[in-house]
Amino acid sequence: PTIMEPPPALAQCAPWHRRATDREYPDTGIQWECEIRARVFFYALTLSIALHLLAILLAMSFCNALNETARDADVFRMFSRGKGHNATMKVENAFRLGMLLDFIAMFAILEYYKGWEIVVVFTLALAYLFRIYRQTTALLFDSGSIVYYWREDLGGKPDADDPFDLTVPVERLHKRGMQLSSHASFQAAFKHS
């Protein structure tokens, strides 16, 4: 089902411009149920399309910006000053919310054909799938993510016996950043004199 060709469950609804006084479309409880179902379906599907489009556009922009970085320092700058990690999270959240709205639109139609029992079954299935998803992604991020494993200031818990010690590269990166910032401030001061 799409917005251009809605499912038959919505075809029985009276057109929105009809009034309850029309004899062809009497004002019944079924009509209100149909109106609510149609609105849930169309609003959820429309917002889902917009969010999926946002996810695609943000992902394309991120990839293009990353492709244009010439040096490692540019990539670091993109993730620090350009908030690159936040950009990837916006893509992920837009896609997830779009998927949720797709499911809400499907619920609206499934309820018409099979009643509330199918919504309950589908909700239980989604809860089980979400549990598997959360367990799997938690293991992945907790075992190697910079934010969720290495950064203790953000709640990360690196293993005490981890063979990789990031203190040396972090210290070197900080030292190099200080050198570059003092060099840039020297150049800026030289330009103004």
Side-chain angles (χ1 to χ4, degrees):
T2 64
I3 289 178
M4 297 303 164
E5 187 180 344
L10 303 178
Q12 72 179 8
C13 293
W16 66 270
H17 55 82
R18 299 283 186 166
R19 301 283 182 234
T21 56
D22 288 351
R23 290 182 186 175
E24 187 179 352
Y25 300 102
D27 188 17
T28 64
I30 295 171
Q31 183 60 33
W32 278 107
E33 183 181 328
C34 190
E35 290 292 329
I36 291 169
R37 184 182 304 112
R39 279 174 172 70
V40 167
F41 175 78
F42 286 116
Y43 290 161
L45 204 56
T46 301
L47 290 173
S48 169
I49 291 168
L51 285 167
H52 283 128
L53 182 61
L54 176 64
I56 291 168
L57 292 173
L58 286 174
M60 287 172 31
S61 296
F62 180 82
C63 289
N64 288 338
L66 190 60
N67 283 335
E68 290 186 18
T69 57
R71 304 164 295 168
D72 292 346
D74 297 332
V75 174
F76 285 119
R77 191 178 319 102
M78 188 174 108
F79 274 89
S80 62
R81 201 181 312 159
K83 308 285 186 213
H85 177 71
N86 291 348
T88 61
M89 292 305 298
K90 286 178 184 177
V91 170
E92 190 174 332
N93 290 335
F95 186 77
R96 284 179 180 167
L97 187 55
M99 283 180 30
L100 176 66
L101 290 168
D102 282 340
F103 286 125
I104 289 172
M106 288 187 338
F107 283 160
I109 300 305
L110 286 173
E111 184 276 327
Y112 172 76
Y113 286 112
K114 296 297 179 185
W116 285 103
E117 71 183 74
I118 194 70
V119 175
V120 172
V121 169
F122 201 56
T123 303
L124 291 174
L126 281 179
Y128 178 71
L129 295 174
F130 184 73
R131 180 175 166 238
I132 292 171
Y133 167 79
R134 290 297 291 173
Q135 289 173 344
T136 305
T137 56
L139 284 173
L140 293 171
F141 280 95
D142 290 346
S143 64
S145 167
I146 290 174
V147 173
Y148 299 108
Y149 179 77
W150 288 107
R151 302 257 329 249
E152 293 181 56
D153 57 324
L154 295 176
K157 298 175 192 94
D159 297 336
D161 61 344
D162 196 301
F164 301 103
D165 185 10
L166 290 183
T167 55
V168 174
V170 168
E171 288 172 3
R172 298 279 162 78
L173 184 63
H174 181 70
K175 184 179 176 182
R176 182 71 176 144
M178 295 301 288
Q179 288 173 345
L180 288 174
S181 67
S182 65
H183 180 69
S185 61
F186 173 76
Q187 286 181 341
F190 184 76
K191 282 183 179 179
H192 292 293
S193 56

